[in-house]
Amino acid sequence: MTLPPWIHPEGDGSATRLEIHAVPGARSDGLAGSHGDRLKVRVSAPPEGGRANDAIRALLAAVLAAPLREVELVRGASSRVKSFRIGLDPATVADRLGRAV
């Protein structure tokens, strides 16, 4: 299986790093396809006080059917360019995102 450019295996392959291009303050929440080598994620939450980060984390957990504790922001707290660690293997992440994008 070929993985999209925004999905990277981590460690022994039981976790995934997901590269995101965030769009806070959007009309609605959702995945918006690719943005270069990142997955574009739109959220209606504003970027102030980490609210957009929390909204992206919750959206990813819902789309991936993963517990919120398995979705962790690891880079880019104050940037549109973010990295999330997902506690699922890359193939599962690709499959579940593929249905949602």
Side-chain angles (χ1 to χ4, degrees):
M1 169 186 221
T2 303
L3 297 174
W6 56 81
I7 295 177
H8 303 278
E10 278 213 334
D12 63 358
S14 63
T16 304
R17 187 179 76 249
L18 193 58
E19 302 295 338
I20 301 290
H21 176 82
V23 181
R27 288 183 182 224
S28 61
D29 297 353
L31 306 179
S34 64
H35 182 83
D37 60 351
R38 299 186 174 277
L39 175 64
K40 184 185 260 187
V41 179
R42 294 182 175 143
V43 291
S44 57
E48 294 91 24
R51 290 170 50 195
N53 291 333
D54 292 342
I56 292 169
R57 186 172 167 238
L59 176 65
L60 290 174
V63 168
L64 295 170
L68 193 57
R69 70 180 177 275
E70 294 293 331
V71 180
E72 174 188 9
L73 176 64
V74 293
R75 191 181 58 168
S78 61
S79 171
R80 286 180 180 258
V81 176
K82 302 179 182 301
S83 293
F84 282 84
R85 183 185 178 283
I86 313 296
L88 299 170
D89 66 272
T92 300
V93 170
D95 180 55
R96 292 179 184 177
L97 286 177
R99 291 187 227 150
V101 174

